[in-house]
Amino acid sequence: MSLRSSSGKPTLWGSALLLLVIVIVVSIALAGTVLSAPDQQNAAKSLLQQQSEGALHVDVYGPTGTARWVYAERGILTREFARQGATPESVARAFLDRYGALFGIDQQAERLQLMKVETDAAGRQHVRFNQVEKGVAVFGADLVVHLNADGAVTVVNGYTLPNTAALNTKPSVQEQNAGQVAVNRLGVQDGYVAESSLVLLNPGLITDQASDTYLTYRVRADSETQPHLAQWVFVDAQTGEVRFSYPAVTDGKSRQTYNMQHRTSYTRATLARSEGQGAVTSATRCTATDVNNAHDYAGDTYDFYFSHFNRDSYDNNGATLRSYVCYGNNYQNAFWDGTRMTYGDGFAAADDVVAHELSHAVTERTSNLVYSNQSGALNESFSDIFGESVDLTNGSGTDTTGVRWDMGEDIPGIGAIRDMLDPTRFGDPDRTDSGNMYCGTADSGGVHTNSGVPNKAYALMVDGGTFNGYTIAGIGINDAAAIAYRTNAVYLTSSAKFLDAYNGFLQSCDDLYGAGSAQCTTVWKALEATKMNGPVCGTGGATPTPSGPTATPTNTPTPTNTPLPGAPTATPTATSTPPATSPLTNGDFEAGANVGWGEYSSHNYALVMSGVGQNSSWGAWLGGANRETSEIAQSYVVPATGGTLNYAYRITSSDWCGWDYGYVRVNNTDVVTYNLCASNATNGFVQGSADLSAYAGQTVTLKFRSTTDSSYSSSLYIDNVSVTVGAASEVVDPHAGAEMTTPEPKGDGPIGQSEERSESTLFIPFVQN
């Protein structure tokens, strides 16, 4: 039976059968052959690429060599497990049975323990697992499978530990001896072991550095009189050495507010105010102001989370918010210790400080970000983000322009301790390549200092501004907070890095407001401006721009005198009036990069550059590599009379049709689609246009975008963009209107070959970080 129709094109049935044959053949090959880990990853990726609806993206964590973020360009990784009656857990496990090699996970049923399944307001489900080996949990190794409302897998992210088969999980050191080591490290007379458990620890999951894996006791060493010193200490269960540690306290609408009376014993604290009780007028060995501020601002924080995210207290189950004020003598701080909030004198006077502490509790019950290094900086930043969001919306405290983004401006006698809009004011970094980035071991790896980067990004999202070459339109607290909350609650895992937050913010915005929306343009620009996807202290980050991306492509066309289609063939006479134009900013790109146009490249390529436009001038180069998504975008007010978007474009390709695409978008709507392939390649630049009459008088975002798959890449070049005011253009574009049809299956060509932008190897299965 032929798999092709009489027209020579594959039938739908034939295409499906061929795909099934491919899957079966690869599956048989996997079953009958012992493959190396990279080969297993490559095979799993090849299978998933066949299922994914759009270009498959796989970010790999360098220290472990396993995937940490997997998604498809158009939002669906696979629908193959979305069956009627299937549970979210069964779908997630079926996915990991087939594609677990990407994460270094085989025998997922034995190695992944279900933590929880959550369903959000849009019906999407999020299945969170913790990795276990021989019954012992792997610290910081958790994986989340995200499903849409139909049960299709959309994103999988997290950190896992491969190569665990030979690990010894039988301790030689007794647990009580390990506990004593941890208490001794705390260095207080009344130290005690509050909690202890056996875990496998690879510090590299937290520190972004390659590391050995150890069997350890994870011990919480605490103090009756100084609970703010509590530490999580990891004691080697074979040698008794301390392998890692970090603070157990972080700098919680049922409220109970207690008066410590300047003591440090919680058992001697007296209940000063309960839920429903009015403000107190006096407090023994304390002040009524301390009691009332802690109580009222905890209520404001509860109200913010409930009204914005429908979250019922920090645990989302109505947990009582317990606050303790007037702690110790001259104690200059505040902290959350896992069960309660504690304040030194006056610290509860700052509503953003109270909301900050309670937000640590929210983080602990959602992403559970480890309070160390990058994950700890994110932990601090999310507390600042929501602390300041409460501060700016509750009508209390000082919110004048000069202190709008100050943290703790209302602390008596101390004042602000951080500035989210200008972190450098306090010596904190405002971007990952800042000289203020802290790369040492103090402050648990700089959790308070380095929080300045995501803090700056959030302030830009809310208020907008110009920073690091990007002009950003603010979207306000409500939208920005929704995106930040979803990032923390849904997409981040305990070992998350800045790059994970970068991906999480973008994915959360896509979920809430749609890819390409005004909100997502702002989010992307803020993240790019602060270089949230860049290396941190010399490691991690997104794939660096390959060498030579700004060089003139080898196949830049030789300029000719042939007029563009639709261009005038003679100089207009004095009696002819050329059509009026409404110029865009830097429509000819001659002003250089980051002027008028925002740029996004999944490979972090430069897009606007010299030598790629008409007559070798400045232009935009989209695509040009495998698994690349490129986009340039600009906000624009369409004239009240409508108009026509005009642009010159050029297509080059070594691919079949149906695998690589170019788009002209208005907001998130594709108004022109180009099938980028060898048969549609243009002889130099040609003219394109798009009717904007449907958007007359509106402020829109104009975009040029391209997506390429994993082999035989294509390029879309753009230049000389303008808008003609009035009726739609009559330019006939033979390359426009390409349908998103099922293409002919690819042959056995040089998979991984890039058309122009250089890659380091012939076949790069993952985006290496």
Side-chain angles (χ1 to χ4, degrees), residues 162-518:
N163 308 320
T164 57
L167 292 177
N168 181 2
T169 57
K170 295 183 179 180
S172 300
V173 174
Q174 292 185 355
E175 187 170 6
Q176 63 183 24
N177 293 339
Q180 189 59 52
V181 170
V183 170
N184 291 344
R185 182 183 180 89
L186 198 62
V188 296
Q189 291 185 347
D190 63 347
Y192 67 97
V193 174
E195 186 178 335
S196 178
S197 62
L198 197 66
V199 299
L200 286 164
L201 168 75
N202 186 298
L205 291 180
I206 309 301
T207 64
D208 214 14
Q209 302 285 341
S211 174
D212 292 331
T213 301
Y214 309 98
L215 180 68
T216 67
Y217 289 104
R218 179 176 181 248
V219 182
R220 179 180 170 122
D222 213 331
S223 164
E224 287 287 356
T225 61
Q226 302 181 75
H228 59 282
L229 298 178
Q231 289 269 322
W232 286 108
V233 183
F234 294 77
V235 181
D236 195 310
Q238 308 294 348
T239 67
E241 299 174 75
V242 174
R243 295 297 185 183
F244 188 63
S245 65
Y246 67 92
V249 299
T250 53
D251 178 348
K253 180 175 174 183
S254 170
R255 290 169 291 171
Q256 294 177 345
T257 303
Y258 292 83
N259 178 5
M260 299 285 287
Q261 300 182 33
H262 294 119
R263 293 189 287 253
T264 57
S265 173
Y266 288 91
T267 59
R268 298 180 65 184
T270 58
L271 181 62
R273 187 176 171 189
S274 299
E275 184 64 43
Q277 180 182 347
V280 299
T281 57
S282 63
T284 304
R285 298 181 62 194
C286 189
T287 70
T289 300
D290 277 294
V291 172
N292 292 327
N293 282 339
H295 195 85
D296 292 339
Y297 293 153
D300 289 348
T301 306
Y302 176 96
D303 292 343
F304 182 88
Y305 277 98
F306 188 80
S307 63
H308 284 74
F309 318 124
N310 199 34
R311 187 174 190 88
D312 182 12
S313 192
Y314 61 85
D315 66 346
N316 203 24
N317 195 34
T320 298
L321 307 183
R322 293 185 174 88
S323 303
Y324 291 76
V325 299
C326 293
Y327 171 82
N329 288 305
N330 198 33
Y331 180 70
Q332 300 291 294
N333 214 331
F335 60 89
W336 162 263
D337 68 3
T339 61
R340 60 204 168 195
M341 296 172 291
T342 302
Y343 304 94
D345 287 2
F347 271 76
D351 49 357
D352 49 7
V353 171
V354 174
H356 175 107
E357 300 311 328
L358 186 49
S359 293
H360 277 307
V362 174
T363 292
E364 182 181 281
R365 302 304 177 95
T366 53
S367 60
N368 196 27
L369 289 161
V370 175
Y371 201 64
S372 177
N373 293 275
Q374 289 183 58
S375 56
L378 289 172
N379 192 321
E380 269 298 305
S381 178
F382 280 113
S383 279
D384 280 357
I385 283 170
F386 293 110
E388 203 57 39
S389 295
V390 171
D391 182 18
L392 293 175
T393 57
N394 68 347
S396 299
T398 306
D399 299 325
T400 57
T401 302
V403 299
R404 176 173 170 81
W405 289 103
D406 282 3
M407 279 299 303
E409 70 275 9
D410 292 321
I411 301 174
I414 297 177
I417 56 176
R418 284 187 292 279
D419 184 338
M420 296 179 69
L421 186 61
D422 181 15
T424 63
R425 175 179 154 207
F426 290 92
D428 301 332
D430 54 6
R431 41 196 270 190
T432 56
D433 60 354
S434 166
N436 290 340
M437 285 295 295
Y438 180 73
C439 302
T441 58
D443 189 29
S444 295
V447 298
H448 291 92
T449 298
N450 295 341
S451 63
V453 177
N455 281 359
K456 174 72 174 183
Y458 183 74
L460 288 171
M461 292 176 199
V462 175
D463 282 356
T466 299
F467 179 67
N468 195 21
Y470 290 85
T471 299
I472 301 162
I475 60 175
I477 281 181
N478 288 342
D479 287 357
I483 295 165
Y485 176 79
R486 185 173 180 82
T487 300
N488 192 21
V490 172
Y491 285 108
L492 295 189
T493 60
S494 59
S495 302
K497 313 295 184 293
F498 281 10
L499 179 58
D500 301 296
Y502 174 94
N503 288 330
F505 269 96
L506 292 176
Q507 185 66 52
S508 295
C509 189
D510 287 355
D511 292 348
L512 294 172
Y513 304 109
S517 62

Side-chain angles (χ1 to χ4, degrees), residues 580-584 636 638-639 642-646 692 702 721-726:
T581 60
S582 176
L584 283 81
Y636 180 73
V638 179
T644 301
L645 177 67
N646 303 300
L692 300 180
L702 302 178
V721 184
S722 65
V723 174
T724 302
V725 179

Side-chain angles (χ1 to χ4, degrees), residues 592-609:
N594 294 323
V595 178
W597 298 95
E599 300 182 34
Y600 169 77
S601 165
S602 58
H603 281 67
N604 205 27
Y605 290 129
L607 302 182
V608 175
M609 61 184 70

Side-chain angles (χ1 to χ4, degrees), residues 29 46 57 102 106 150 157 224 284 298 387 521 542 649 683 687 704 747 753 758 762:
S46 296
H57 296 255
L102 290 169
D106 57 4
D150 297 324
N157 69 286
E224 287 287 356
T284 304
T521 298
Y649 73 93
N683 182 17
Q687 191 68 32
F704 295 91
Q753 175 179 325
S758 61
L762 181 63

